[in-house]
Amino acid sequence: MEMQFNKRLSIGVEGEDRLSEMPGNIIDHILELMPIKDAAKTSVLARKWRYIWCMHPNIVLDKLTCRKFSTNSLRVLDNTINKILLQHIGNIIKFVLDFSQVDLLPLTDINMWIRYVITKGVRDLTLDFSNNNPYKPPTYIYYYQNLTDLTLNNCLFKPLDFIFSYPNLKSLYLKQITFMATPKSLVLKAPVLANLTIMYCWGTESLNIVSPQLSYLFVVESHYLDLSCFMKCTNLAVVSLSLCKVVENSKQNERSTLLKFIFGLPMLEKLYLDTFYLKVFDSDNHADDVLNYLEKLNNFDRPIPNLEQVVIRSFNGSKPELLFIKLLFAATPSLIRMSIERDRIFTSTEDRKITGELMRYPRASPKAELFYLPPRRL
């Protein structure tokens, strides 16, 4: 009996040793997957674990964690986050503050927390204030140059200078951002920026992004985004453009910017396009303009040599849409798949007419396949 007890005890000790002797990167990954409250509880596992959570480089205060902390009061939330940061040892690489499920009052020390993580060398920063009043970040966040990843949700964007830079920024996610009006355009210099997402922002007409290495662009908007600020981003490989509604009273420069933009991307591999961007041409006043422009463009040798996949959504069968598709077929020698998603159910007569015309279009790529798809189900 005693031998069995000692055997069980040794197994327990061995198990503890194996847990404590795991490589540091595995321990970091385990703690990263835990809510911060549970990560703190690991301090009781063994002596070695007592301060590991305090030295973990990633502090993730997600929406569930912040909601739990704020159950009693915002003062409890404030105090808890202050304690977490004060007990932290070493650098902070990643900091996530998600208040999307917290009703904020002017009690929190948000600016102080941001300043603190900046002094700790933060590189990956997420601030989410959706479902609250827009948050205006402190101005020093625009001049902190160590950031590699920045996510902002429901913030007011107003740097002191009209030109600012993030020399190390690789990924930028902007949602519900209001770019405050300035006498001049806001110029963001991000020389190594690779991924950019813009969703439901306001004031983007004042934004000019200088990023020659940009390879991924994802846009979802309720208004026509002026794409002229991306004309120099010739390394784009993946582009997704969506509008939430038809834009009326479009300007003349908007009617040609999209076409110049797409046909000026030699590295483009995947294109996802909501044809609301083309529907700005569908009115009687604009249709002739875009058709003439497209016809002129068709006379130039402007191939998109690497484009392999195209998805066109909200297709209505208009002349500008059909001519645009014709141009894509003719200018994409590497095209493999083109998917066209209708915005409504067409009559059989309409379908036969449209599919017949689409099938007659010459294709620069012998591998190109056409997929004519029904409307998406909501």
Side-chain angles (χ1 to χ4, degrees), residues 48-188:
K48 180 179 178 180
W49 285 72
R50 184 172 299 173
Y51 300 108
I52 286 180
W53 79 274
C54 296
M55 296 183 289
H56 191 263
N58 299 336
I59 298 180
V60 178
L61 300 167
D62 59 22
K63 59 184 177 183
L64 296 179
T65 300
C66 290
R67 186 177 66 182
K68 288 180 181 178
F69 288 159
S70 65
T71 301
N72 295 324
S73 70
L74 287 178
R75 181 63 64 187
V76 172
L77 173 66
D78 257 13
N79 292 339
T80 304
I81 296 178
N82 283 330
K83 288 179 181 178
I84 290 171
L85 294 177
L86 286 173
Q87 292 181 72
H88 191 273
I89 303 170
N91 292 334
I92 297 174
I93 303 302
K94 180 178 181 179
F95 183 66
V96 175
L97 184 65
D98 188 340
F99 278 176
S100 59
Q101 294 191 8
V102 177
D103 293 327
L104 289 178
L105 292 172
L107 295 175
T108 54
D109 299 318
I110 301 170
N111 288 3
M112 183 182 69
W113 300 334
I114 295 174
R115 180 182 288 276
Y116 181 79
V117 298
I118 284 178
T119 63
K120 290 283 190 171
V122 67
R123 298 177 189 171
D124 185 344
L125 179 63
T126 296
L127 303 174
D128 190 336
F129 296 91
S130 51
N131 303 316
N132 279 284
N133 291 327
Y135 169 67
K136 185 179 179 181
T139 54
Y140 48 76
I141 199 174
Y142 302 111
Y143 308 100
Y144 175 65
Q145 301 194 341
N146 289 345
L147 286 175
T148 60
D149 300 84
L150 177 61
T151 297
L152 298 177
N153 194 342
N154 195 27
C155 296
L156 302 176
F157 205 91
K158 189 177 182 180
L160 292 177
D161 301 320
F162 69 92
I163 298 178
F164 63 104
S165 65
Y166 288 125
N168 298 297
L169 194 66
K170 297 178 180 178
S171 177
L172 178 61
Y173 181 99
L174 302 174
K175 184 176 181 181
Q176 292 181 296
I177 302 301
T178 300
F179 295 95
M180 307 294 284
T182 59
K184 299 181 180 180
S185 296
L186 287 175
V187 179
L188 167 59

Side-chain angles (χ1 to χ4, degrees), residues 16 100 168 171 173 177 208 218-219 237 255 311 354 360 364:
E16 182 180 341
S100 59
N168 298 297
S171 177
Y173 181 99
I177 302 301
N208 190 4
F218 183 89
V219 176
R255 299 202 292 270
V311 177
I354 292 172
R360 285 194 296 270

Side-chain angles (χ1 to χ4, degrees), residues 318-377:
S318 67
K319 287 183 179 180
E321 289 173 316
L322 289 169
L323 187 49
F324 179 74
I325 293 170
K326 181 180 180 180
L327 281 176
L328 284 179
F329 269 133
T332 51
S334 300
L335 187 66
I336 296 174
R337 178 186 177 107
M338 179 178 291
S339 300
I340 299 175
E341 300 175 1
R342 290 166 284 176
D343 71 342
R344 60 181 176 85
I345 298 176
F346 293 169
T347 66
S348 57
T349 301
E350 288 176 317
D351 268 337
R352 284 195 299 270
K353 182 179 178 181
I354 292 172
T355 54
E357 187 165 356
L358 290 171
M359 295 303 293
R360 285 194 296 270
Y361 290 158
R363 306 178 189 184
S365 170
K367 299 179 181 179
E369 293 185 277
L370 175 64
F371 294 84
Y372 189 62
L373 305 174
R376 290 185 181 184
R377 292 184 178 180

Side-chain angles (χ1 to χ4, degrees), residues 162-310:
F162 69 92
I163 298 178
F164 63 104
S165 65
Y166 288 125
N168 298 297
L169 194 66
K170 297 178 180 178
S171 177
L172 178 61
Y173 181 99
L174 302 174
K175 184 176 181 181
Q176 292 181 296
I177 302 301
T178 300
F179 295 95
M180 307 294 284
T182 59
K184 299 181 180 180
S185 296
L186 287 175
V187 179
L188 167 59
K189 293 184 177 181
V192 297
L193 183 66
N195 300 313
L196 174 61
T197 298
I198 298 176
M199 301 181 68
Y200 312 114
C201 296
W202 296 271
T204 51
E205 65 275 4
S206 66
L207 180 65
N208 190 4
I209 297 177
V210 180
S211 178
Q213 298 302 316
L214 190 65
S215 60
Y216 176 92
L217 176 64
F218 183 89
V219 176
V220 179
E221 282 295 355
S222 56
H223 60 276
Y224 195 99
L225 176 65
D226 186 0
L227 297 171
S228 59
C229 65
F230 302 112
M231 288 300 183
K232 295 182 180 179
C233 300
T234 55
N235 282 316
L236 278 166
V238 179
V239 173
S240 179
L241 304 174
S242 294
L243 280 173
C244 303
K245 61 182 180 180
V246 177
V247 177
E248 298 179 354
N249 301 321
S250 61
K251 300 176 183 178
Q252 177 64 36
N253 61 332
E254 293 174 346
R255 299 202 292 270
S256 61
T257 298
L258 172 68
L259 306 172
K260 292 178 181 178
F261 173 64
I262 292 175
F263 284 92
L265 298 176
M267 307 303 294
L268 188 63
E269 297 176 4
K270 295 181 180 180
L271 174 64
Y272 304 89
L273 179 65
D274 187 324
T275 59
F276 283 147
Y277 267 91
L278 289 177
K279 284 183 173 61
V280 297
F281 308 126
D282 284 352
S283 70
D284 293 337
N285 293 331
H286 298 160
D288 290 340
D289 291 338
V290 70
L291 287 174
N292 290 335
Y293 179 81
L294 286 168
E295 291 288 4
K296 290 178 181 178
L297 189 62
N298 197 27
N299 295 327
F300 293 97
D301 183 17
R302 305 183 70 174
I304 312 175
N306 299 303
L307 186 59
E308 295 182 350
Q309 182 175 338
V310 176

Side-chain angles (χ1 to χ4, degrees), residues 16-28 31 39-56 89:
E16 182 180 341
D17 288 340
R18 286 195 296 269
L19 185 64
S20 299
E21 294 175 3
M22 287 189 297
N25 62 326
I26 294 179
I27 293 176
D28 285 344
L31 292 175
K41 293 178 182 179
T42 62
S43 60
V44 302
L45 289 176
R47 183 176 298 175
K48 180 179 178 180
W49 285 72
R50 184 172 299 173
Y51 300 108
I52 286 180
W53 79 274
C54 296
M55 296 183 289
H56 191 263
I89 303 170

